[in-house]
Amino acid sequence: MRDINKIAVLLFVRNAYEESKYKQLVKGESSKNVLLFKYLNKRIVNTVKQTNYDYFVIDCTNQHGDSFAERFKNAFKSIFEQGYDAVISLGNDTPQVSSDTIHEVVHQFKNHDVVVGKTNLGGAYTIGLTKYAFSKCSFESVDWSTSHVVESIEKRAIFQGSSYVQLATVYTELNTHSDLKLFIQLLIEKEISLVEDYFFLGLIPPVNHHYNYRQLKMNALQIGVTEIRGSPAA
């Protein structure tokens, strides 16, 4: 069993305005799109704060490198250079990620050097690396921005001799308007359960969905979910 004591979380994100340029989750409503990404960025920070782990937000203002692979690698490197034994990366595009996700990755570090959580699109909602795995990892060999991200990470881990594990839970990834519609539909059908149900249900007008919006609002209020008015704090 390896000795992994000092662990940090890497939040590798764009700020809400930059993100909204690349992803139109809410079509035709730029202000609502920015609001969504502000919310998602704030949410992932609050999720990490529920744990006792140090965290680092590395966004477009402090990312370095010409390619995604280079910027992502440099983000990990900057944290490992501060003496951490392992780093857990999270993005903002999988709202189902919780503090339990982080604890599960930490638990897997007891026996594995590479820990990955897979999305429904084949991407990774979390990548955890020990310092050993990072020292041998080739970020350029991963098929980033494809449906083969997790598959290529696994192949690379096996090739470099790092012990690998994939988390059992697959989460829904938000990259397009269609992804958001699917996510909301899964909320409606109770396939996904989040405290923030009402916030997401309010993003797309109810006329686009076949559900009783008024009743869903009442249900949300009855279980203590309050409507989010205005932009979450940046």
Side-chain angles (χ1 to χ4, degrees):
M1 185 176 294
R2 53 184 56 78
D3 190 19
I4 306 295
N5 294 314
K6 194 174 181 183
I7 299 171
V9 178
L10 161 63
L11 300 181
F12 194 77
V13 297
R14 298 188 185 104
N15 66 49
Y17 294 98
E18 285 294 317
E19 193 81 292
S20 65
K21 293 178 183 177
Y22 293 94
K23 297 181 180 180
Q24 291 296 312
L25 298 187
V26 185
K27 283 186 176 179
E29 297 188 60
S30 58
S31 61
K32 192 174 283 189
N33 207 46
V34 172
L35 170 64
L36 172 57
F37 286 115
K38 282 187 175 181
Y39 176 80
L40 290 173
N41 282 347
K42 184 66 175 178
R43 183 191 180 282
I44 197 62
V45 170
N46 287 339
T47 295
V48 181
K49 285 182 177 179
Q50 293 172 23
T51 73
N52 293 320
Y53 298 106
D54 296 338
Y55 71 93
F56 300 83
V57 179
I58 299 186
D59 59 21
C60 49
T61 64
N62 55 355
Q63 293 176 8
H64 305 287
D66 296 327
S67 66
F68 174 85
E70 189 176 357
R71 292 191 294 273
F72 199 30
K73 179 179 180 178
N74 286 336
F76 271 94
K77 181 181 178 183
S78 67
I79 299 174
F80 277 119
E81 287 177 343
Q82 298 184 52
Y84 290 92
D85 301 314
V87 175
I88 302 168
S89 71
L90 296 171
N92 64 359
D93 55 0
T94 46
Q96 292 160 277
V97 167
S98 68
S99 58
D100 288 341
T101 307
I102 298 170
H103 292 309
E104 176 61 18
V105 176
V106 172
H107 174 72
Q108 294 295 342
F109 278 145
K110 293 179 180 178
N111 297 296
H112 301 91
D113 291 299
V114 180
V115 185
V116 175
K118 187 177 182 179
T119 74
N120 62 316
L121 301 178
Y125 60 82
T126 185
I127 300 174
L129 300 176
T130 64
K131 195 168 187 177
Y132 168 80
F134 177 76
S135 70
K136 300 171 72 65
C137 184
S138 172
F139 280 68
E140 294 76 13
S141 299
V142 176
D143 297 329
W144 303 111
S145 302
T146 73
S147 60
H148 304 292
V149 173
V150 171
E151 179 184 342
S152 61
I153 292 174
E154 181 179 7
K155 287 181 179 178
R156 183 62 199 178
I158 293 172
F159 176 79
Q160 71 187 30
S162 295
S163 51
Y164 170 91
V165 66
Q166 180 181 311
L167 301 182
T169 308
V170 175
Y171 287 152
T172 302
E173 183 178 347
L174 302 181
N175 277 320
T176 67
H177 179 65
S178 295
D179 295 337
L180 179 60
K181 288 175 66 177
L182 171 63
F183 185 79
I184 291 174
Q185 189 62 41
L186 292 173
L187 285 173
I188 294 166
E189 295 172 357
K190 300 301 181 182
E191 295 294 325
I192 294 174
S193 179
L194 294 177
V195 174
E196 306 92 338
D197 280 12
Y198 188 48
F199 172 79
F200 287 101
L201 292 172
L203 290 172
I204 298 178
V207 71
N208 294 337
H209 299 291
H210 300 293
Y211 64 87
N212 188 330
Y213 188 77
R214 185 174 182 179
Q215 185 59 49
L216 283 169
K217 177 179 177 179
M218 293 303 298
N219 292 345
L221 293 174
Q222 286 172 5
I223 63 172
V225 180
T226 56
E227 183 175 6
I228 298 175
R229 301 182 182 274
S231 301

